[in-house]
Amino acid sequence: MSMKKFALKLTVAAVALIGLQTSSYAVDSVSVEAGAGSKVQMLRLGAQWDWKNTAWWQSNGTHIGGYWDLTVAEWHEKRYNNTDSSKNFTDIGFTPVFRFQRDDKKGFYGEAGIGVHLFSSLYNNDTKKLSTAFQFGDHLGTGYVFANGLDVGLKLQHFSNGGIKQPNGGVNFAVLKAAYKF
């Protein structure tokens, strides 16, 4: 996929997200993420909606809350079909994320999420293959939210089809995230 097609997809996604800007469905934050795994890279844009009025196990100024995370990503396989050629494809994901955080939602946090992803083509990179376009994506992460709303985080993410169909080699990423909360 060319960079022009990727830019067009991102523009369409951004326009769609802006269209959701009503008072009850307004996006609470936006993010950009870059990830790398074994012979694969990913660039992802996302929009997040906080779980309003959710504060489980509130104690000592902290609680467990969360958010919905809607993302679009472009993956770059460097060893497509176990050859020296490369291939790009698009991933659309939706993940509920649980976050342990301070009550004011600033400072350090830890988070975990398991969501669903749909790939535009099958992953076949190096010796790893995923035999379905539908994938589960789970992650564990940590980060820091500054007073101005800037959120910087690091997470480990795993993609797998959960054994729905073989082969299911799984793909792992280290992901750096930057988000801005409105």
Side-chain angles (χ1 to χ4, degrees):
M1 173 180 298
S2 72
M3 199 50 114
K4 287 182 183 179
K5 287 183 180 179
F6 179 63
L8 178 62
K9 287 180 183 180
L10 292 179
T11 302
V12 169
V15 169
L17 290 174
I18 290 168
L20 293 173
Q21 294 286 335
T22 64
S23 61
S24 60
Y25 297 108
V27 172
D28 294 304
S29 62
V30 292
S31 62
V32 61
E33 299 176 342
S38 178
K39 299 179 179 76
V40 61
Q41 296 172 328
M42 171 182 55
L43 179 62
R44 178 165 48 205
L45 298 178
Q48 297 78 36
W49 291 263
D50 285 342
W51 299 345
K52 306 289 189 228
N53 305 317
T54 302
W56 297 310
W57 294 289
Q58 196 166 16
S59 176
N60 297 323
T62 63
H63 70 277
I64 295 176
Y67 60 92
W68 303 109
D69 191 19
L70 178 63
T71 60
V72 61
E74 188 73 8
W75 291 37
H76 178 73
E77 300 172 281
K78 295 180 180 179
R79 298 257 317 142
Y80 177 67
N81 203 22
N82 205 19
T83 67
D84 287 332
S85 62
S86 63
K87 180 180 176 185
N88 291 350
F89 68 89
T90 303
D91 159 28
I92 296 172
F94 183 73
T95 305
V97 180
F98 293 89
R99 184 178 272 193
F100 177 73
Q101 59 197 350
R102 289 184 1 193
D103 288 342
D104 66 0
K105 298 183 180 180
K106 304 293 184 206
F108 287 103
Y109 65 84
E111 67 179 29
I114 299 176
V116 293
H117 293 259
L118 186 61
F119 294 173
S120 62
S121 67
L122 298 181
Y123 182 85
N124 183 359
N125 191 43
D126 201 25
T127 59
K128 301 270 184 166
K129 293 182 182 181
L130 299 174
S131 58
T132 59
F134 173 81
Q135 297 291 316
F136 295 101
D138 53 75
H139 77 268
L140 290 173
T142 187
Y144 189 88
V145 179
F146 294 90
N148 65 0
L150 178 64
D151 176 344
V152 178
L154 179 65
K155 60 185 173 183
L156 300 176
Q157 186 158 27
H158 174 75
F159 290 90
S160 166
N161 69 22
I164 294 171
K165 185 177 177 185
Q166 296 299 323
N168 182 33
V171 180
N172 298 311
F173 284 96
V175 180
L176 183 60
K177 170 184 170 181
Y180 181 75
K181 186 169 179 66
F182 302 112

